[in-house]
Amino acid sequence: MKTFKKVYVEITSICNLACSFCPPTERAKQFISIEQFTTILDQIKPHTKYIYLHVKGEPLLHPKIDQLLDISHEKGFKVNITTNGTLLKKAKHKIFGKPAIRQMNFSLHSFDGHPGSTNRLEYITTVLGFAREAVDSSNMIVSLRLWNLDQDNATNLERSRNREALAIIEEEFNLDYQIEERVTPGSGLKIADRIYINQDYEFKWPALHEEEDEGKGFCHGLRSQAAILTNGTVVPCCLDGEGVINLGNVYETSFSDIVEGDRANKLYDGFSRREAVEELCRKCGYRKRFG
């Protein structure tokens, strides 16, 4: 039986922002139901202990996220949430103190990615306030993400925006250094107990209209991770936001059978040979990170 380091469970395909780096999904806008979520957790239980409530969509939008977290805890899962953080004030009472949450990832680059963003100081201060309070009262880990660098060492505009954000963080945590001097793209820098800052290069979502390469390389899809979209579609990784590599639907076929199916095994075996057998994988630049 395949086991995974993590399984992404998308609880909504809806987002409250329209960020330039994240193309909106063409799928139907929907929230996962309590019954669907429970069914999914029962199916993936033998395969993983860790779930990530994200693929597309903003998880804090889900009106019953508190119930989803309680169910996750009852079934023994540890939960990671990736959020843009803009709904913290509205959703805090639903997530604060929930023992299921292992880690919260805040995509701070969403502020500049969304054209309508206002008041950077208030936004970041709210996130940092939540982070401090959560870490003080639980075992939660917090990751503050700025994934907007480009390969040419960031444009002047990006550098300026990031400096504003990092200056707020440095002041909040009384750091005696500039974060850029110590952080390495792709890895975390610890700035306080269980609070980390992560800077990385902006990645491009793969799509069938993108240019295809020779298809060499490796990916952890279906090896350390799998993902389930709100509509039940199982895909090999968190970057297949449109369900292009549709391995099956958990509302029709068991997750165990899906990840051992013919299409799944061909993809898995292909990457064992360092070959991308799926068209979408041959149009995904993320694969090149792993050689």
Side-chain angles (χ1 to χ4, degrees), residues 128-176:
L128 299 184
F130 175 91
R132 278 189 177 280
E133 194 175 350
V135 166
D136 287 344
S137 61
S138 71
N139 294 319
M140 186 189 297
I141 301 167
V142 174
S143 172
L144 307 171
R145 295 177 171 179
L146 278 170
W147 288 6
N148 59 358
L149 302 179
D150 65 28
Q151 296 295 337
D152 298 321
N153 209 20
T155 63
N156 289 332
L157 178 58
E158 285 168 335
R159 268 199 297 268
S160 172
R161 289 169 166 175
N162 285 352
R163 177 88 296 273
E164 289 180 26
L166 295 174
I168 297 169
I169 296 170
E170 289 159 3
E171 182 176 355
E172 176 71 24
F173 291 98
N174 297 314
L175 303 182
D176 60 0

Side-chain angles (χ1 to χ4, degrees), residues 10-16 28-37 57-65 68 87 229-231 251:
E10 182 190 71
I11 61 174
T12 180
S13 57
I14 306 168
C15 189
N16 62 314
K29 292 178 169 58
Q30 61 188 125
F31 294 102
I32 202 168
S33 71
I34 297 296
E35 294 73 24
Q36 290 171 329
F37 187 73
E58 168 51 51
L60 297 192
L61 268 177
H62 199 293
K64 297 181 179 178
I65 191 171
L68 302 184
L87 301 175
L229 305 180
T230 312
N231 61 14
Y251 305 143

Side-chain angles (χ1 to χ4, degrees), residues 91-112:
K92 179 182 175 181
H93 68 285
K94 293 184 178 182
I95 63 175
F96 199 80
K98 294 295 186 183
I101 302 179
R102 171 187 171 269
Q103 181 168 324
M104 293 278 292
N105 304 314
F106 291 99
S107 300
L108 301 184
H109 47 282
S110 300
F111 183 89
D112 289 314

Side-chain angles (χ1 to χ4, degrees), residues 31-47:
F31 294 102
I32 202 168
S33 71
I34 297 296
E35 294 73 24
Q36 290 171 329
F37 187 73
T38 302
T39 296
I40 288 173
L41 294 198
D42 288 339
Q43 290 193 36
I44 67 175
K45 179 82 173 169
H47 298 271

Side-chain angles (χ1 to χ4, degrees), residues 106-286:
F106 291 99
S107 300
L108 301 184
H109 47 282
S110 300
F111 183 89
D112 289 314
H114 179 68
S117 296
T118 58
N119 201 334
R120 185 193 310 273
L121 177 61
E122 180 183 17
Y123 164 65
I124 295 180
T125 301
T126 299
V127 171
L128 299 184
F130 175 91
R132 278 189 177 280
E133 194 175 350
V135 166
D136 287 344
S137 61
S138 71
N139 294 319
M140 186 189 297
I141 301 167
V142 174
S143 172
L144 307 171
R145 295 177 171 179
L146 278 170
W147 288 6
N148 59 358
L149 302 179
D150 65 28
Q151 296 295 337
D152 298 321
N153 209 20
T155 63
N156 289 332
L157 178 58
E158 285 168 335
R159 268 199 297 268
S160 172
R161 289 169 166 175
N162 285 352
R163 177 88 296 273
E164 289 180 26
L166 295 174
I168 297 169
I169 296 170
E170 289 159 3
E171 182 176 355
E172 176 71 24
F173 291 98
N174 297 314
L175 303 182
D176 60 0
Y177 58 87
Q178 288 199 338
I179 290 170
E180 302 98 318
E181 298 171 355
R182 300 194 183 185
V183 71
T184 301
S187 61
L189 173 69
K190 185 176 182 180
I191 58 175
D193 182 35
R194 283 178 282 120
I195 300 179
Y196 299 83
I197 181 80
N198 287 267
Q199 282 198 271
D200 207 344
Y201 299 104
E202 180 179 322
F203 69 83
K204 193 172 187 179
W205 287 83
L208 291 179
H209 64 262
E210 297 293 341
E211 187 175 347
E212 186 172 321
D213 62 23
E214 76 286 352
K216 299 298 181 183
F218 180 77
C219 180
H220 292 283
L222 289 184
R223 203 168 297 264
S224 68
Q225 65 169 277
I228 304 172
L229 305 180
T230 312
N231 61 14
T233 300
V234 177
V235 291
C237 76
C238 62
L239 292 183
D240 186 0
E242 292 304 318
V244 173
I245 307 176
N246 184 343
L247 302 175
N249 193 293
V250 289
Y251 305 143
E252 302 167 358
T253 308
S254 76
F255 180 80
S256 296
D257 288 343
I258 290 171
V259 296
E260 292 295 351
D262 184 58
R263 189 173 186 180
N265 284 329
K266 285 181 178 177
L267 184 148
Y268 182 98
D269 294 340
F271 280 123
S272 295
R273 304 187 303 269
R274 299 299 193 270
E275 295 177 9
V277 300
E278 290 282 349
E279 180 184 358
L280 186 69
C281 298
R282 294 193 296 271
K283 297 179 176 181
C284 178
Y286 212 80

Side-chain angles (χ1 to χ4, degrees), residues 41 44-45 48-51 72-73 75-79 100:
L41 294 198
I44 67 175
K45 179 82 173 169
T48 192
K49 296 178 181 177
Y50 299 93
I51 57 176
S72 301
H73 181 62
K75 294 184 177 296
F77 288 95
K78 291 295 184 182
V79 178

